[in-house]
Amino acid sequence: MSEPEAYMIYTQKSAADKAINTLKGIVSGIIADGIVNDVELEELKTWARNHVEVTRRRPFSEFMVAISSIEEADQALRLENVEDIFWLCQKVEDGGEYYDAITSEMQTLQGFFHGLLADGVLTDEEIHRLEEWLSQHEHLEGHHIYDRIYADVQMVLEDGIIEEHERQLLVKRMDEVIQILNPDGKSKLENQIKPSGDSLIFDEVPIEVAGSTFVLTGEFDSGKKPEVKQRIIEAGGAVKSKPSKKTNFVVVGQKGNKAYAYTCYGRKVEMAINFRNANQSVCIVREAQLIQVIS
């Protein structure tokens, strides 16, 4: 190992912290006037070029993904994408290395699900092994996916008998997590899962557009966000930039968002989940649910 390489081992954490602090400052300045112009975008790209070495590892590599997606967006989406970067900065700053460990363990849980479903069968023994893993990782409590699956496993095992409909519930839960963290990673049991209105993230509820307030997040199959927004307005609804207690529906685009890889879904869904957990009437719905009522 060369002397510069050896030196980097001891300075990398400090360099990463400095890089993220600098980025947070840049982003704060950019979003201050609510506009992201080409010069400001070039400033972000310059930051990315100057910090290639530091940002090769997670979670810092996610900033490169987020910055690269901005150039592809129109002006209406640039501000939202830069706000996503600010949110990522806060996540790294608030949680530091421990937060990254949480993210890694949720990815491990996804892999565990893949392994359990790999042979197309979820046995009683595998459900008990899942319960053991969840019990050994109680520090993940507070993460909405962990909390929901842990509660379901406890419910399934409560009476000592695993019924077929309970097995199907767990399979559906696990398959949804696989798809959330990796949209191309559906399990081998996908076609065996019976349809259900119960979801880890989404609310299967009727959507009344007129008089309702919507927030859009991610990229949409049915058109660009400004187009979807206009269709909602024409149907009598209102569209805001971020969730609040007065939001009725947060709509997740079918194509997702490059920033989702960092921690399942992005900041808008996280905010909506927090409101929902506080018994606020905020519903999270899929793009397809909205399109059905505005087409």
Side-chain angles (χ1 to χ4, degrees), residues 21-279:
N21 289 336
T22 301
L23 178 62
K24 186 178 179 182
I26 293 172
V27 171
S28 297
I30 289 175
I31 64 179
D33 62 358
I35 299 172
V36 183
N37 59 40
D38 290 340
V39 176
E40 291 170 325
L41 176 57
E42 187 58 37
E43 187 70 20
L44 284 173
K45 291 163 67 176
T46 298
W47 178 90
R49 288 193 296 269
N50 290 340
H51 297 90
V52 171
E53 291 300 323
V54 170
T55 54
R56 281 182 176 173
R57 62 186 179 87
R58 290 182 60 88
F60 308 108
S61 58
E62 302 301 333
F63 293 105
M64 294 304 193
V65 175
I67 290 172
S68 67
S69 69
I70 297 175
E71 195 165 18
E72 304 167 6
D74 56 32
Q75 184 56 239
L77 295 179
R78 281 187 177 184
L79 178 62
E80 181 176 323
N81 289 345
V82 175
E83 288 174 338
D84 281 338
I85 293 174
F86 185 77
W87 177 76
L88 292 176
C89 287
Q90 289 180 307
K91 283 296 183 184
V92 173
E93 181 182 63
D94 292 344
E97 294 180 354
Y98 181 69
Y99 182 86
D100 190 38
I102 296 293
T103 303
S104 298
E105 289 191 327
M106 289 306 299
Q107 292 168 345
T108 298
L109 182 58
Q110 174 213 20
F112 190 24
F113 289 167
H114 249 305
L116 291 175
L117 303 183
D119 60 359
V121 178
L122 182 63
T123 67
D124 289 6
E125 178 65 20
E126 287 173 328
I127 294 174
H128 284 286
R129 295 292 78 76
L130 173 59
E131 194 275 337
E132 288 180 5
W133 192 97
L134 294 170
S135 296
Q136 292 167 1
H137 292 77
E138 289 183 346
H139 57 276
L140 294 174
E141 184 178 352
H143 192 292
H144 56 277
I145 289 178
Y146 172 89
D147 291 347
R148 189 67 175 274
I149 290 174
Y150 186 81
D152 286 334
V153 170
Q154 294 300 313
M155 180 271 295
V156 168
L157 297 177
E158 186 175 20
D159 61 0
I161 301 172
I162 301 175
E163 299 181 7
E164 188 56 32
H165 72 90
E166 294 174 328
R167 195 186 314 277
Q168 285 287 328
L169 170 67
L170 292 180
V171 168
K172 181 182 183 297
R173 288 277 190 258
M174 294 158 68
D175 198 72
E176 184 176 3
V177 172
I178 290 171
Q179 292 182 55
I180 288 172
L181 298 180
N182 178 9
D184 299 321
K186 297 179 181 179
S187 78
K188 291 183 178 180
L189 293 184
E190 174 194 5
N191 295 328
Q192 300 179 35
I193 301 173
K194 297 178 181 178
S196 168
D198 192 18
S199 167
L200 283 166
I201 300 294
F202 299 103
D203 299 295
E204 303 289 343
V205 295
I207 298 176
E208 180 66 40
V209 180
S212 296
T213 300
F214 294 80
V215 171
L216 308 179
T217 182
E219 297 181 26
F220 285 69
D221 261 340
S222 54
K224 294 185 177 180
K225 273 185 186 173
E227 298 170 359
V228 177
K229 176 180 178 180
Q230 185 59 36
R231 291 163 70 181
I232 292 173
I233 293 173
E234 290 173 355
V239 180
K240 301 297 183 180
S241 61
K242 61 182 179 180
S244 71
K245 294 179 180 179
K246 296 181 179 180
T247 301
N248 299 109
F249 301 99
V250 173
V251 186
V252 180
Q254 187 67 31
K255 290 184 178 179
N257 184 318
K258 291 180 180 179
Y260 289 171
Y262 188 70
T263 175
C264 301
Y265 286 117
R267 61 188 173 88
K268 292 181 182 179
V269 172
E270 182 182 81
M271 292 171 66
I273 289 172
N274 289 338
F275 283 128
R276 192 170 64 183
N277 290 344
N279 296 319

